Amino acid sequence: MEHFRIVIIGGGPIGIACGLEAQKRGLSYVILEKGPIVNSLFNYPINMQFFSSSEKLEIDGIPFISKEAKPKRNEALEYYRRIVTSNALNIRLFEKVQSVEKSEDKFSILSSKQKYTADKVIVATGFYDLPNPLGVPGEDLPKVSHYYKDPHFFASQKLAIIGASNSAIDAALECYRKGAEVSLIIRGPEVGQRVKYWVRPDIINRIEEGSIKAYYNSTVKEIKNSEISIATSGGEMTIENDFVLALTGYMPNFEFLRQLGIELSDDEKLLPQYDPETMETNIAGLYLAGVICGGMETHKWFIENSRVHAQMIMDSILKNQATTSNIS
Ligand SMILES: Cc1cc2nc3c(=O)[nH]c(=O)nc-3n(C[C@H](O)[C@H](O)[C@H](O)COP(=O)(O)OP(=O)(O)OC[C@H]3O[C@@H](n4cnc5c(N)ncnc54)[C@H](O)[C@@H]3O)c2cc1C
């Protein structure tokens, strides 16, 4: 069984930042990633543009050069991939962590490929794996997806997009411009206030001119093969439909956190317990890094404000090491 000082679960931007920081400080580590490098970013819409400018997405001060101030998905894939390969980071891809157990001072980690032991574990698993379900009949039909990839697929189709945040609005505009007949189903009275400031006027104008149909104060009740039922403020109605994109956000894998013994707040935010100075959880030696630490408040954490977790965690690990060797 292989032993590492640190096992990092998740090879997203922040897991990679943690690996890089561990390497710089001479700590043995492995990053275990269930998909390709930066799997979440890989699964983003192909034309996606970050709302952050490229320098805000940099890790360890390594320059991120992009064509425009705000980089596109493929530029970010290039950037993070080059960090992994140029620094020869110890990352194992397509290897999913299934369980983590602690006994005495050591962790046992079981992945889809092998077992490891580690002194410390960092959970950097993000929040993009589990969509917030609609919980309506028909959600499991093949025409319904919680992930949007490419507008070409929806050309000349009646497409309902559920949601009013950045993902939903970007998809609505792109698909409309590739010839889809787009209906937006919006739970609240308006397009989300957090929609990128340069995109919001575009969608509002398209709605006002009638190019995109918006149903405000509306929720989907049922999805059928060729129609959907929605409850609107004016009563229930049925609209013809070929495809549904339910872009209602994503959530961290709380089951995994619970299985690790991490305590969650007992309100609807389900905030995991950790020390904001060190990122150490209620389990000694088990750390959180990246957007996973936001619980259901996924909009509060980004690459921008969580990339510092890597330094904070390594500082804490080295400080503990110094304290332990002083005592012994
Ligand atoms: C559409 C969209 C646009 C965004 N735009 C921006 C932006 O402009 N600026 C910004 O700062 N942030 C942005 N964010 C937020 C941020 O990019 C992402 O949340 C970012 O990916 C967070 O990095 P992370 O490393 O914490 O998590 P992730 O990138 O989600 O990485 C987690 C990794 O863990 C892996 N994983 C999960 N479970 C396991 C397991 N059991 N075993 C092994 N591996 C596992 C996943 O495959 C994944 O690769 C955006 C998010 C979305 C969804």
Side-chain angles (χ1 to χ4, degrees), residues 101-161:
E101 274 168 26
K102 190 176 182 193
S103 54
E104 310 271 312
D105 279 347
K106 211 181 265 177
F107 292 92
S108 305
I109 299 102
L110 176 66
S111 82
S112 50
K113 294 191 178 162
Q114 65 176 94
K115 277 185 182 166
Y116 301 86
T117 54
D119 301 326
K120 313 282 177 190
V121 170
I122 301 174
V123 181
T125 47
F127 63 67
Y128 201 57
D129 293 325
L130 297 176
N132 289 324
L134 298 171
V136 300
E139 187 170 5
D140 52 356
L141 286 172
K143 69 179 219 172
V144 182
S145 175
H146 292 273
Y147 294 91
Y148 163 65
K149 198 77 192 169
D150 190 329
H152 174 84
F153 185 83
F154 301 106
S156 303
Q157 296 296 295
K158 293 184 175 60
L159 171 65
I161 299 180

Side-chain angles (χ1 to χ4, degrees), residues 199-225:
V199 174
R200 210 164 182 276
D202 190 4
I203 185 71
I204 288 170
N205 288 338
R206 300 296 73 74
I207 292 170
E208 281 177 3
E209 73 187 16
S211 305
I212 292 176
K213 178 96 183 121
Y215 296 89
Y216 294 111
N217 301 307
S218 300
T219 51
V220 175
K221 288 286 160 207
E222 185 171 4
I223 303 170
K224 293 185 180 163
N225 278 329

Side-chain angles (χ1 to χ4, degrees), residues 8-16 32-41 44-45 48-53 56-57 95-98 124-129 166-167 170 250 253 256 289-292 298 301-306:
I8 300 161
I9 310 173
I14 309 304
I16 290 173
L32 302 177
E33 165 56 56
K34 69 175 182 160
I37 299 168
V38 291
N39 188 28
S40 301
L41 276 58
Y44 286 172
M48 178 259 187
Q49 183 165 31
F50 283 81
F51 57 77
S52 304
S53 49
K56 297 267 178 59
L57 302 174
E95 183 166 346
K96 182 175 181 177
V97 172
Q98 289 163 341
T125 47
F127 63 67
Y128 201 57
D129 293 325
N166 276 301
S167 308
D170 283 349
Y250 306 91
N253 188 340
F256 187 63
V291 299
I292 182 76
T298 51
W301 289 98
F302 320 107
I303 301 170
E304 269 194 61
N305 61 2
S306 65

Side-chain angles (χ1 to χ4, degrees), residues 168-294:
I169 300 308
D170 283 349
L173 287 167
E174 276 195 357
C175 293
Y176 153 68
R177 295 204 161 102
K178 300 293 176 210
E181 199 181 302
V182 177
S183 301
L184 269 170
I185 320 291
I186 299 177
R187 195 171 43 186
E190 59 176 6
V191 168
Q193 285 295 340
R194 282 197 291 265
V195 169
K196 292 169 270 198
Y197 65 86
W198 64 96
V199 174
R200 210 164 182 276
D202 190 4
I203 185 71
I204 288 170
N205 288 338
R206 300 296 73 74
I207 292 170
E208 281 177 3
E209 73 187 16
S211 305
I212 292 176
K213 178 96 183 121
Y215 296 89
Y216 294 111
N217 301 307
S218 300
T219 51
V220 175
K221 288 286 160 207
E222 185 171 4
I223 303 170
K224 293 185 180 163
N225 278 329
S226 55
E227 60 187 36
I228 60 172
S229 310
I230 53 176
T232 70
S233 44
E236 200 154 320
M237 60 188 290
T238 300
I239 54 175
E240 285 181 32
N241 172 265
D242 298 311
F243 288 100
V244 175
L245 282 173
L247 303 179
T248 45
Y250 306 91
M251 61 178 149
N253 188 340
F254 293 114
E255 252 340 284
F256 187 63
L257 296 184
R258 284 195 187 101
Q259 190 203 91
L260 268 52
I262 297 174
E263 285 180 15
L264 307 176
S265 66
D266 49 19
D267 53 15
E268 73 285 353
K269 293 181 185 166
L270 296 171
L271 294 170
Q273 196 178 317
Y274 64 92
D275 177 344
E277 307 270 308
T278 62
M279 304 309 294
E280 192 168 16
T281 65
N282 54 293
I283 309 283
L286 181 62
Y287 294 80
L288 292 181
V291 299
I292 182 76
C293 58

